[in-house]
Amino acid sequence: YNEYKSYLRMLEKFQTKSARVKGISFHTTRPWVLASLHSGIIQLWDYRMRTLIDKFDEHDGPVRGIHFHNTQPLFVSGGDDYKIKIWNYKQRRCLFTMLGHLDYIRTTFFHDEHPWVVSCSDDQTIRIWNWQSRSCISVLTGHNHYVMCAQFHPKQDLVVSASLDQTVRVWDITGLRRKRAQPGSTDAFRTQTPGQIDLFGHSDAVVKHVLEGHDRGVNWVQFHPTQPLVISGADDRQVKLWRYNEARAWEVDTCRGHYNNVSNVLFHPRLDVILSNSEDKSIRLWDLNKRNCISTFRGEDRYWCIASHPQLNLFAAGHDNGMIIFKLERERPASCVHEGTLYFIKDRFLRKYTLGSGKDVAVIQLKQSDSNCQPSTLSYNPAENSIIITYRNSSKNGSGSPYYEMYGLPRSSDNEVQIGEGKRMKAIAAVWIARNRYAALDSAGNIHVKSSSHETVKKLELGNVDTIYYSGTGTLLIRNQDSISLYDVQQKLVLATLKMPKVARVIWSTDMQFVAVVCKRTIAICDRRLALKSTIHETVKIKSAAWNTKGVLIYTTANHLKYSLHNGDSGIIRTLDMPIYIMTIKDTSVYCLDRESKPIVLQIDPTEFKFKLALVDKKYDEVLHMVRSANLYGQAIIAYLQQKGYPEVALHFVKDPKTRFNLAIECGNIEVAMTAAQQLDDVAVWNKLSEIALQQGNHQVVEIAYQRTKNFEKLSFLYLITGNMDKLRKMQKIAEQRNNVNSHFQNTLYTGDVAERVKILRNVGQLGLAYVCAKAHGLEEEAESLAVQLGSDQLPEVNPNAHLLKPPVPICKSDQNWPLLTVSQGIFDKVAQGEGVSALDAGIDVDVDAEGCWGDDDLNLDDDGEVVEDEFGSAGGDGEGGWDDEDDIELPADLDLGVSVVTGGTYTPPAIGSSTAKMWANNSQFAVDHLLAGQVDTAMRLMQDQVAAKDFSAYKSLFMAVVSRGRVCLPGLPCLPPITAYPARNWREASPKNSLPTKFLRLNDLVEELQVGYQLTSQGKFQDAVNKLHNILLSVPLLIVDSKEEMVEAQQLMGICREYILGLQMEIFRKDLPKKTIDDQIRVCELAAYFTHCNLQPMHLILTLRNAANLLFKFQNFKSAHSFAKRLLDLGPSAQIAAKMRKIVAACERNLTDEHRMNYDEFNPFVICAQSYRPIYRGKPVEKCPLCGASYSPELKGVTCSICKVSEVGKDCIGLRIYPGMFR
């Protein structure tokens, strides 16, 4: 890398706007960066997607120190509120706060290996903390002014610090590491004050070197990752380089050039380069070896901090108004592909990678490149076996000019790699255009066509040309600021132009029929004459692209591998962990280069874009094959097929009834729509189905839809137009029963029932209308009766020309659906209907002269047309072709087929079927379902396999309750047994053969029971609480949950019960112990201390801590009592308890020692053996209960768990199964 450091330049990737940024930290693996602000807010950014992920706001005042942990989901921060906070970004909260500094905290850093944090402060001290025990383990004093920076060495036991006292100090912390690495725990060590000298005169940290040379306060200091070097920056505007060894340290050199205070300095992770930023609004790059300034990048704001990514070529600098993320070199490797070989440049070597075999060899060594230029493009000529490499000027203020080099490659790669003898010439770009011709673009915009011996053959004076690209023999693509043109070199003619500003790359398809013109965030796909076919727009930068042999463009962005067809249809193939550059595609393999120029082969699934390509190219036979065989699912495929007008194909992939209904309506498939509507049973769905079915004349489906929606008026009219008078009269009776006068009268008009019409008018009080209706239609008796009621004065006049209002009698009753036009089925129709598609449907012609198994055409006809029978008496062939019907076979008379046969009038009863309970057991793998089915033995076997159940005596009452819940008995007739019913949980959609029993328990019921257990614990009824919690614990394996969230909640419930049962049993055991001897009393105190480490609710944890603090204070173990009291105060108890605990803390601080030694170490994590009630410290072997997860010593393996009283400790099993997804 170091030979390329001269052309480094700042390439901005991302910029944020915020308050002043005082600290920056990159995540090791994720594309995240933390920024701590002067306003007290910590921001978490995704620099790849350029989005703010989260904010953390708990500090009061500016936050200056920030750092990600390299392996854990943690970061540490330090601010002007004197607090150091440890955060968990997954839980999105602060885990705890460490207090100790007395002034502003400047920096905080994690150690790469140990659980340590180093911090420095304006209180003139450096502190090292153990973030696991949450305590300060060492205090480094010696500076006599503000300590501005302190960092660990990445590999050695050293700490370097910088202070405003104008010194840099290197500290040796070997003693601290040795003490912390001792096995077990040392009480003498734990009772020491941090930084105190031990018994043998050794200190935790000692000053190894004091570096003096700055004239003003030093703001930042850093170790070199591999060399014994230290870099520092100070208010004297200087950057100093120091070297050290075991004996001494000395100044190497000083870098001068900044005009104001140097805020931050760092070593480049890979190059011999130093980066520094300053309040003079600049970032400078210095050569580590020559100590001269390479480049200067000036901004508009003062810079305060700078950070580098631990692995990638990424840097971030914080200034007054936000943060900028940049890199210092282009990482795109110069490369090209010819047939099965990839040529690329890596570390000044031209390398050759063979596709398929993966052989990677160096071909030649390139010459030393000029200053400020790096390899940009690579062009290979197979005829001459030569390459052209162009070098671009990538520095804004560099003096190097672009040029190209031509190398002849050796025919054999078996010899030792030699330095290539290349010809170097000045040009902006150069590409091969023919067998022995290449084109070079000079700085004036003229194109020189040269021979392979570098003689100019032709000169093209074009002007206003930025660069040129290969576009086939004899032609070039020439680019300017706002367009790209196809240029014929021979005719000196522009053939076509495409308006496309700032083109970055041009990629031709393998057959040279399509070209992809790539810009920063846009791809234009054009044909051979630059006619635009489609355009692809991305929100992030497009890194690379290549065509496969089928004409599909595969391209990469910063985090995705995508595809695009020539018509613009695109999609995502897979996500990427890091940016890569595609070289070529071969079948399902994508050959790429990463930023380190390392070949990578990615395997992809091309099914999706092959399917779309086959549809676009109308290759329906390929589509059918993929429909049958490929796993094409998802909303994207369905939406694509709908958009392209193939809903019948989309219907093949869809299982959701709502989507199937919409697709079936779109493609007019009434049968599939009817099935989906029956499953949905929704009024809107039936209305839509009736509308579409009516348009097709399918009145049978329309009738069903109207019946489901109870649309009686439309149903009556449907019966009228179809001539179904019987059902029309039924509708009349239904309207009468519904007391719907309007519908009743309307139906009488449809049926022509005049008498019923008169009756309706009389019943509603319309006597005049009833009289007119009766009189006009010749119902004289009814008319006279109505005339009497009306009286002679109120009789209305009757039109003498009135006639009967009756619809015409239907000539033919329409029982069948209305006829439709006969059309040939499409190629996908049978697929949508679930039928197979034969070879004929795919367009395969059958030879009408086929013989063989189809038989011949000899019909055995005589001259008169009569059939001539053969010797077997049949009018057919000779038995060799066709489907021969050979039924004259003899079968054994005693052959039993296992079916009921009625012979001779004898009745054979049917075989006994399976009971519902037995079907339950066959359909389920849950133990509780087998219990509900009454299959106790199989349920016990399942629990043995899942949780190693050994003793089922504790389950007796629960098992009996479950078995009795599995059926319902209904009283029958007198003197008859009751009727037994089997309630099912899936009764809505399941048949008896695949039904499942109703659930025995719900998770919410157990949660309510847990609250009762909490109340019993608070009331001090420990044995009752243990019984209640034990019942909950045993009930969890009898649950069936519906989601993963409920499964996790059930596991948490089991863990809560385990912790409470263990603690309460231990407390009951403690109270029964004798207290006569000192050993007895020590054991009582130990059990009280262990109880405080059970995972209890805060209100119960307060009680256990209070009990332990009181007990140990009386026992004169003041140090332990002090610890319990402090833990209790952190939980925020009531004022009365808090006052008492403060008194205990004050009393214990007078004599912070333990009178009696206990088997208890609060700083060493441990679990409690559920039988011996002894601690099992981390790192020791432990056995677990398969059901409840209780811990045991290894010698107790095989015993029955004392918590759940069911499972065998330490036995291997498959684990508890309460969620259906766990069986997949």
Side-chain angles (χ1 to χ4, degrees):
Y1 291 101
N2 289 326
E3 67 170 281
Y4 295 139
K5 66 189 177 185
S6 58
Y7 56 71
L8 297 178
R9 67 170 175 147
M10 178 186 287
L11 302 173
E12 181 184 325
K13 308 299 290 182
F14 176 44
Q15 192 165 160
T16 67
K17 295 294 183 182
S18 65
R20 181 185 301 169
V21 176
K22 300 296 289 182
I24 297 174
S25 178
F26 281 99
H27 196 279
T28 309
T29 56
R30 300 189 180 187
W32 292 353
V33 62
L34 280 169
S36 59
L37 309 184
H38 195 268
S39 61
I41 296 175
I42 301 172
Q43 294 180 338
L44 178 59
W45 290 87
D46 187 321
Y47 54 79
R48 185 183 294 177
M49 300 304 294
R50 306 186 176 198
T51 55
L52 179 64
I53 299 175
D54 212 338
K55 288 184 179 180
F56 306 91
D57 185 9
E58 287 192 17
H59 280 285
D60 296 328
V63 183
R64 305 177 189 273
I66 195 75
H67 192 224
F68 269 118
H69 196 279
N70 59 350
T71 57
Q72 300 295 324
L74 305 174
F75 65 88
V76 62
S77 64
D80 286 4
D81 53 3
Y82 314 164
K83 295 177 182 178
I84 297 175
K85 292 181 178 288
I86 303 293
W87 308 75
N88 188 309
Y89 56 74
K90 285 187 176 180
Q91 300 177 8
R92 304 175 65 183
R93 67 184 182 91
C94 175
L95 298 181
F96 55 87
T97 302
M98 297 186 293
L99 300 175
H101 281 297
L102 305 177
D103 209 333
Y104 296 169
I105 297 170
R106 293 289 178 172
T107 62
T108 53
F109 290 98
F110 281 110
H111 196 280
D112 288 344
E113 298 178 1
H114 300 292
W116 297 346
V117 170
V118 64
S119 62
C120 64
S121 169
D122 287 358
D123 62 6
Q124 305 179 15
T125 65
I126 303 160
R127 289 178 178 261
I128 300 177
W129 312 76
N130 188 318
W131 59 265
Q132 287 183 343
S133 62
R134 309 181 185 183
S135 60
C136 178
I137 58 176
S138 185
V139 179
L140 284 63
T141 58
H143 286 292
N144 53 28
H145 209 302
Y146 299 164
V147 184
M148 303 299 289
C149 175
Q151 297 193 47
F152 289 113
H153 193 283
K155 297 179 181 178
Q156 302 177 15
D157 296 327
L158 297 175
V159 171
V160 66
S161 61
S163 171
L164 293 187
D165 61 7
Q166 304 179 15
T167 65
V168 173
R169 291 176 180 252
V170 179
W171 309 77
D172 189 343
I173 58 171
T174 306
L176 180 64
R177 179 187 59 79
R178 288 175 179 171
K179 286 186 177 182
R180 306 305 294 184
Q182 289 176 357
S185 62
T186 305
D187 289 341
F189 172 70
R190 297 203 178 274
T191 57
Q192 277 184 277
T193 303
Q196 179 181 345
I197 298 176
D198 64 13
L199 184 63
F200 301 100
H202 300 294
S203 178
D204 296 343
V206 295
V207 178
K208 191 170 185 178
H209 306 296
V210 178
L211 311 179
E212 297 178 335
H214 284 287
D215 298 331
R216 292 188 180 181
V218 186
N219 292 320
W220 200 263
V221 67
Q222 188 188 44
F223 282 114
H224 193 281
T226 57
Q227 301 180 37
L229 296 174
V230 171
I231 191 73
S232 62
D235 287 345
D236 58 6
R237 307 175 185 180
Q238 297 177 1
V239 176
K240 287 186 178 290
L241 182 66
W242 315 81
R243 184 177 291 273
Y244 63 91
N245 55 26
E246 289 296 325
R248 66 190 186 94
W250 63 96
E251 180 181 339
V252 177
D253 206 345
T254 301
C255 301
R256 297 177 176 87
H258 282 293
Y259 304 130
N260 207 332
N261 301 340
V262 179
S263 306
N264 209 306
V265 291
L266 60 83
F267 288 105
H268 194 291
R270 296 179 296 178
L271 307 182
D272 290 343
V273 173
I274 299 169
L275 288 84
S276 64
N277 62 6
S278 168
E279 296 180 37
D280 63 5
K281 305 179 183 180
S282 71
I283 299 174
R284 290 178 179 262
L285 272 61
W286 312 83
D287 190 313
L288 179 60
N289 300 319
K290 300 178 181 178
R291 269 82 71 185
N292 62 331
C293 183
I294 302 171
S295 297
T296 302
F297 314 126
R298 301 195 180 276
E300 298 178 356
D301 301 293
R302 295 175 296 174
Y303 288 102
W304 298 101
C305 56
I306 190 169
S308 63
H309 195 284
Q311 297 174 358
L312 305 179
N313 174 32
L314 278 178
F315 301 87
H319 51 78
D320 285 330
N321 291 309
M323 170 181 64
I324 180 172
I325 297 177
F326 60 94
K327 62 181 182 179
L328 291 179
E329 56 180 322
R330 288 203 178 273
E331 298 165 304
R332 183 184 306 277
S335 60
C336 69
V337 178
H338 174 68
E339 295 181 349
T341 305
L342 166 64
Y343 295 92
F344 63 98
I345 297 173
K346 180 179 181 181
D347 298 342
R348 225 159 43 85
F349 284 90
L350 175 69
R351 306 189 68 87
K352 179 172 68 173
Y353 178 83
T354 305
L355 307 182
S357 66
K359 185 179 180 181
D360 182 8
V361 295
V363 181
I364 58 172
Q365 183 177 351
L366 306 179
K367 292 181 178 180
Q368 182 79 23
S369 61
D370 280 353
S371 177
N372 294 316
C373 291
Q374 69 179 115
S376 176
T377 64
L378 178 63
S379 178
Y380 175 70
N381 185 350
E384 299 284 335
N385 195 28
S386 301
I387 61 166
I388 293 177
I389 305 171
T390 60
Y391 293 82
R392 294 286 180 88
N393 182 349
S394 52
S395 177
K396 293 181 180 178
N397 54 358
S399 58
S401 301
Y403 62 93
Y404 69 92
E405 293 178 341
M406 181 183 293
Y407 292 91
L409 305 185
R411 293 293 178 181
S412 176
S413 59
D414 298 335
N415 301 326
E416 186 178 345
V417 178
Q418 302 292 330
I419 298 178
E421 296 180 359
K423 180 72 173 178
R424 180 176 296 182
M425 303 186 73
K426 298 291 183 180
I428 296 175
V431 293
W432 294 101
I433 61 171
R435 179 183 179 88
N436 58 352
R437 295 285 188 273
Y438 70 92
L441 176 67
D442 63 18
S443 57
N446 302 320
I447 299 176
H448 301 263
V449 179
K450 299 184 178 183
S451 65
S452 56
S453 58
H454 310 293
E455 297 177 357
T456 301
V457 178
K458 184 182 297 185
K459 183 178 179 181
L460 309 174
E461 297 181 357
L462 299 175
N464 192 26
V465 177
D466 295 337
T467 190
I468 56 176
Y469 302 100
Y470 172 74
S471 61
T473 303
T475 57
L476 285 172
L477 283 174
I478 58 177
R479 186 197 75 180
N480 54 30
Q481 286 294 328
D482 58 355
S483 65
I484 188 168
S485 302
L486 181 63
Y487 187 80
D488 191 314
V489 176
Q490 190 67 30
Q491 301 179 19
K492 299 182 181 181
L493 181 66
V494 175
L495 303 178
T497 301
L498 175 68
K499 291 292 183 181
M500 201 74 179
K502 298 181 180 180
V503 174
R505 285 170 298 284
V506 171
I507 295 95
W508 285 94
S509 61
T510 53
D511 57 0
M512 298 295 290
Q513 295 302 311
F514 293 97
V515 60
V517 181
V518 182
C519 299
K520 187 174 183 180
R521 294 187 177 89
T522 307
I523 299 178
I525 298 179
C526 309
D527 63 8
R528 184 73 181 84
R529 292 293 179 175
L530 293 187
L532 185 64
K533 295 295 183 182
S534 61
T535 306
I536 307 162
H537 297 280
E538 293 287 342
T539 57
V540 295
K541 187 176 180 180
I542 299 166
K543 294 292 184 181
S544 61
W547 295 86
N548 75 347
T549 55
K550 299 291 185 180
V552 179
L553 181 69
I554 311 295
Y555 65 97
T556 62
T557 63
N559 47 10
H560 284 107
L561 180 67
K562 298 186 175 183
Y563 70 87
S564 176
L565 308 184
H566 53 77
N567 66 346
D569 296 337
S570 60
I572 298 175
I573 299 176
R574 57 174 291 179
T575 57
L576 300 174
D577 297 331
M578 64 181 70
I580 58 174
Y581 304 96
I582 298 179
M583 298 295 108
T584 186
I585 299 101
K586 186 176 181 182
D587 297 330
T588 60
S589 300
V590 179
Y591 294 89
C592 317
L593 290 176
D594 64 6
R595 285 174 164 171
E596 305 293 334
S597 296
K598 177 184 176 182
I600 297 175
V601 183
L602 296 179
Q603 298 298 325
I604 62 172
D605 182 7
T607 308
E608 182 178 327
F609 64 74
K610 280 187 175 181
F611 179 80
K612 292 183 178 180
L613 186 63
L615 273 178
V616 171
D617 294 341
K618 298 182 179 181
K619 297 179 180 179
Y620 297 131
D621 51 346
E622 294 183 18
V623 174
L624 283 177
H625 175 72
M626 299 177 74
V627 164
R628 294 198 196 100
S629 59
N631 294 322
L632 284 168
Y633 297 104
Q635 295 297 326
I637 285 291
I638 296 168
Y640 177 81
L641 291 169
Q642 278 187 280
Q643 178 186 356
K644 297 300 178 181
Y646 298 102
E648 66 274 14
V649 183
L651 205 57
H652 178 75
F653 301 110
V654 180
K655 304 300 179 185
D656 177 55
K658 181 69 174 178
T659 310
R660 282 183 66 83
F661 176 79
N662 292 330
L663 288 172
I665 291 296
E666 186 174 346
C667 63
N669 195 326
I670 298 299
E671 289 75 12
V672 176
M674 179 71 177
T675 305
Q678 290 173 344
Q679 295 175 355
L680 295 169
D681 198 17
D682 182 70
V683 174
V685 171
W686 286 114
N687 289 335
K688 184 67 175 178
L689 178 62
S690 63
E691 179 182 346
I692 299 300
L694 191 61
Q695 292 177 359
Q696 293 191 11
N698 195 331
H699 62 79
Q700 295 175 352
V701 173
V702 176
E703 179 184 357
I704 296 173
Y706 287 164
Q707 289 174 352
R708 291 295 184 96
T709 57
K710 296 183 179 180
N711 199 332
F712 298 109
E713 286 73 17
K714 291 185 177 181
L715 193 58
S716 298
F717 189 74
L718 177 68
Y719 292 148
L720 174 66
I721 60 178
T722 56
N724 199 331
M725 302 306 296
D726 295 336
K727 291 186 177 180
L728 195 57
R729 281 188 283 271
K730 290 181 181 179
M731 293 302 299
Q732 180 178 321
K733 293 181 180 179
I734 291 172
E736 183 179 3
Q737 294 173 358
R738 289 168 47 227
N739 293 324
N740 190 330
V741 178
N742 290 335
S743 178
H744 191 191
F745 188 81
Q746 187 73 22
N747 280 286
T748 58
L749 290 174
Y750 291 160
T751 58
D753 192 344
V754 179
E756 189 68 20
R757 210 179 305 158
V758 173
K759 178 181 176 182
I760 294 171
L761 293 173
R762 171 181 281 182
N763 292 338
V764 298
Q766 298 291 337
L767 298 180
L769 291 176
Y771 171 78
V772 171
C773 182
K775 189 69 174 175
H777 293 90
L779 300 179
E780 297 296 338
E781 295 182 1
E782 289 291 336
E784 293 176 0
S785 174
L786 290 167
V788 171
Q789 295 181 16
L790 286 170
S792 58
D793 298 337
Q794 299 182 4
L795 285 178
E797 296 183 3
V798 180
N799 186 358
N801 297 323
H803 59 276
L804 179 61
L805 291 176
K806 186 175 182 180
V809 179
I811 301 174
C812 177
K813 181 180 177 182
S814 179
D815 294 329
Q816 303 297 324
N817 291 327
W818 296 340
L820 299 175
L821 290 175
T822 302
V823 295
S824 59
Q825 279 191 322
I827 193 165
F828 300 120
D829 290 338
K830 291 188 177 181
V831 177
Q833 297 169 7
E835 302 177 8
V837 182
S838 66
L840 289 174
D841 294 324
I844 298 176
D845 295 330
V846 178
D847 186 2
V848 296
D849 296 329
E851 298 178 357
C853 292
W854 292 102
D856 53 28
D857 287 336
D858 187 4
L859 301 180
N860 293 338
L861 299 178
D862 60 7
D863 295 335
D864 297 329
E866 297 293 328
V867 178
V868 179
E869 294 189 357
D870 58 15
E871 57 180 330
F872 292 99
S874 62
D878 57 1
E880 293 178 0
W883 299 100
D884 297 333
D885 191 7
E886 300 281 349
D887 251 356
D888 52 346
I889 58 175
E890 296 182 2
L891 296 174
D894 57 349
L895 188 63
D896 184 13
L897 297 180
V899 295
S900 301
V901 182
V902 179
T903 58
T906 305
Y907 171 72
T908 302
I912 299 175
S914 300
S915 65
T916 303
K918 189 174 181 180
M919 292 179 184
W920 285 352
N922 293 336
N923 296 337
S924 176
Q925 301 181 54
F926 292 111
V928 64
D929 286 345
H930 285 248
L931 288 173
L932 290 166
Q935 306 290 332
V936 180
D937 53 343
T938 59
M940 293 170 69
R941 282 198 296 272
L942 285 173
M943 294 192 66
Q944 287 174 351
D945 296 337
Q946 294 177 9
V947 295
K950 182 179 181 182
D951 186 359
F952 288 93
S953 57
Y955 264 118
K956 182 177 180 181
S957 59
L958 272 174
F959 277 13
M960 293 178 64
V962 176
V963 172
S964 63
R965 183 102 178 240
R967 64 212 67 218
V968 177
C969 293
L970 306 174
L973 296 175
C975 302
L976 292 178
I979 302 171
T980 303
Y982 297 90
R985 63 174 178 265
N986 57 343
W987 59 274
R988 290 184 181 274
E989 66 275 1
S991 63
K993 289 186 178 181
N994 58 2
S995 66
L996 293 169
T998 185
K999 293 181 181 179
F1000 171 67
L1001 275 174
R1002 294 182 306 168
L1003 183 59
N1004 291 338
D1005 299 334
L1006 297 184
V1007 174
E1008 293 175 1
E1009 291 291 320
L1010 179 64
Q1011 299 301 322
V1012 178
Y1014 285 158
Q1015 294 175 5
L1016 293 173
T1017 304
S1018 301
Q1019 296 169 5
K1021 300 177 180 179
F1022 290 166
Q1023 191 57 53
D1024 294 341
V1026 168
N1027 295 336
K1028 173 63 70 176
L1029 295 167
H1030 184 253
N1031 187 67
I1032 297 173
L1033 179 63
L1034 296 183
S1035 299
V1036 172
L1038 305 180
L1039 284 173
I1040 298 177
V1041 298
D1042 298 325
S1043 64
K1044 290 184 179 179
E1045 290 77 11
E1046 289 187 346
M1047 179 184 68
V1048 173
E1049 189 175 350
Q1051 293 170 345
Q1052 293 174 350
L1053 178 63
M1054 187 176 291
I1056 292 171
C1057 293
R1058 178 193 67 237
E1059 293 292 317
Y1060 268 86
I1061 294 172
L1062 173 61
L1064 294 176
Q1065 284 184 350
M1066 193 161 50
E1067 183 67 9
I1068 295 171
F1069 177 74
R1070 183 186 69 82
K1071 291 185 176 181
D1072 293 338
L1073 282 177
K1075 305 176 182 61
K1076 297 179 181 179
T1077 65
I1078 292 295
D1079 292 339
D1080 293 340
Q1081 296 176 16
I1082 290 176
R1083 179 60 174 157
V1084 169
C1085 292
E1086 287 175 350
L1087 292 172
Y1090 300 156
F1091 195 11
T1092 64
H1093 287 265
C1094 293
N1095 190 7
L1096 308 180
Q1097 295 294 312
M1099 59 179 179
H1100 299 141
L1101 189 57
I1102 288 174
L1103 298 175
T1104 61
L1105 288 169
R1106 183 183 66 176
N1107 186 30
N1110 292 335
L1111 194 62
L1112 290 169
F1113 185 80
K1114 295 176 183 178
F1115 198 51
Q1116 298 184 2
N1117 274 25
F1118 299 120
K1119 181 182 177 183
S1120 299
H1122 177 271
S1123 174
F1124 291 132
K1126 292 285 286 182
R1127 284 175 57 192
L1128 193 151
L1129 289 172
D1130 291 341
L1131 296 175
S1134 63
Q1136 182 179 0
I1137 297 177
K1140 185 175 180 180
M1141 289 300 108
R1142 291 191 185 96
K1143 292 180 181 179
I1144 292 177
V1145 169
C1148 291
E1149 287 178 348
R1150 298 174 184 173
N1151 183 18
L1152 206 60
T1153 60
D1154 284 341
E1155 183 70 22
H1156 305 281
R1157 184 180 180 86
M1158 300 189 303
N1159 182 17
Y1160 171 68
D1161 182 3
E1162 65 172 320
F1163 297 107
N1164 194 357
F1166 63 86
V1167 294
I1168 304 169
C1169 177
Q1171 185 152 324
S1172 65
Y1173 302 138
R1174 300 283 183 185
I1176 305 173
Y1177 290 99
R1178 180 178 293 176
K1180 301 294 184 180
V1182 64
E1183 298 291 342
K1184 295 283 188 179
C1185 170
L1187 175 56
C1188 66
S1191 302
Y1192 291 87
S1193 300
E1195 60 270 13
L1196 296 175
K1197 182 177 181 179
V1199 303
T1200 303
C1201 177
S1202 59
I1203 301 297
C1204 64
K1205 299 180 174 59
V1206 172
S1207 295
E1208 180 180 345
V1209 173
K1211 186 174 181 180
D1212 293 332
C1213 54
I1214 63 175
L1216 183 62
R1217 299 289 190 266
I1218 59 173
Y1219 173 54
M1222 303 174 76
F1223 292 105
R1224 296 171 186 166

